[in-house]
Amino acid sequence: MTTLGILLVLVLLLVVFGLLFRLQILTSIFSGSSTREVGVSNRVNAILFIIFLVVGGAAFAWSFADNYDKMNPPIASVHGHATERMFWTTMIILGIVFTLTQVLLFVYSYKYQHKEGRRAFFFPHNNKIEVIWTLIPAIVMAGLVFAGWKEWTRITGPAPKDAVVVEVMGKQFNWLVRYPGRDQKLGVVNYRLIDATNEFGFDLSDQNGIDDFVAPEIHVPKGHPVLLKIRSRDVLHAVYMPHFRVQMYAVPGMPTKFWFTPTMTTDEMRAQTGNPKFTYELACNQICGRGHFAMKLNIVVDEPDDYVAWFAQQKSFSEQNPDVLASFKQKSDKLVEKETTPAAAAVVPATAKASL
Ligand SMILES: [Cu+2]
């Protein structure tokens, strides 16, 4: 602590000496006993500004054009077209303002570089300019925000009643998928029940969960609304489905949702892109740990008939894991026994009293 104090005092002393030295130079300049040396670096800096503007601008344009296709995969959802339109409207307006201000910034730095004898123009205030550059951006921003808010509330509002429900749960480092069975109701899950077999934490004492099934990939029907129910088991993840323009956080302890309507089947997209291996993808886009890069899931968009056929083939979790189902049956049998045996019922309050 003492050493730190001494070091601090030394640094402060150095700063004070530096300021005194600078003060001395300034007084000598103003008293006329010394002239300020501008040197060649002034001109070099001015030229570097222009070089940076041209080279930097060209590099930006090249990287934008080169990555355009990666940033803009073909749209395969209904709302995707609206969000895309909004994105590009915002991008064009901001792009024009950004280019204009940056070009002026660098060109003026060059144009108004130091010249002997030239004095800066004193221009402290102008009401007209203040009003113009406050009102115009405020109106434009309000318009953009309003359009965004309108679209966002439409997308994130309640899903249509007949929507296909799919639950996606993020975990380090993969996605788990659960579908409600024929009853269209997802059963209760409990994180305390999670183990190597019961990865979702199915509570099979809830009848709604008996026909729920898990799937290795997401299947959805074309032209039908899909409600994604999103959860996380451990840390923050994010569901990112670029072709559907869907992105939503998967937050531990806070379920989120997103509904969308796919417009192109996987086969149609394969034909359009000319890539026979094309698959829609759900990727995690929230850095969540060392296996984050591999956190992907395939999505298959089927024709409605194919989807129905796929759905019919799926076996429920309880059917595939009779041991887990049996363990719940045992538990409930014991509970029934306890409730119906008067002796057992009498023991419970007695022990509870004793423990107090
Ligand atoms: Cu991740």
Side-chain angles (χ1 to χ4, degrees), residues 202-221:
F202 275 95
D203 181 348
L204 292 177
S205 57
D206 176 28
Q207 286 303 308
N208 289 336
I210 298 292
D211 61 350
D212 290 3
F213 64 86
V214 294
E217 56 187 10
I218 295 178
H219 275 253
V220 286

Side-chain angles (χ1 to χ4, degrees), residues 20-76:
L20 281 175
F21 180 65
R22 196 173 154 72
L23 212 62
Q24 194 227 336
I25 293 174
L26 284 174
T27 37
S28 66
I29 289 171
F30 283 111
S31 64
S33 59
S34 163
T35 49
R36 203 156 129 204
E37 274 294 313
V38 176
V40 74
S41 65
N42 180 58
R43 185 148 185 79
V44 170
N45 278 332
I47 292 168
L48 281 176
F49 267 109
I50 296 298
I51 292 175
F52 184 83
L53 174 68
V54 174
V55 176
F60 171 74
W62 169 78
S63 105
F64 191 82
D66 197 48
N67 287 289
Y68 183 83
D69 288 344
K70 280 182 215 148
M71 291 190 294
N72 295 279
I75 302 169

Side-chain angles (χ1 to χ4, degrees), residues 176-219:
L176 305 174
V177 184
R178 179 166 73 124
Y179 281 79
R182 286 176 194 286
D183 64 356
Q184 285 302 304
K185 283 180 192 156
L186 283 167
V188 171
V189 283
N190 184 340
Y191 72 93
R192 288 197 187 94
L193 299 169
I194 290 172
D195 60 27
T197 320
N198 190 357
E199 284 202 295
F200 254 98
F202 275 95
D203 181 348
L204 292 177
S205 57
D206 176 28
Q207 286 303 308
N208 289 336
I210 298 292
D211 61 350
D212 290 3
F213 64 86
V214 294
E217 56 187 10
I218 295 178
H219 275 253

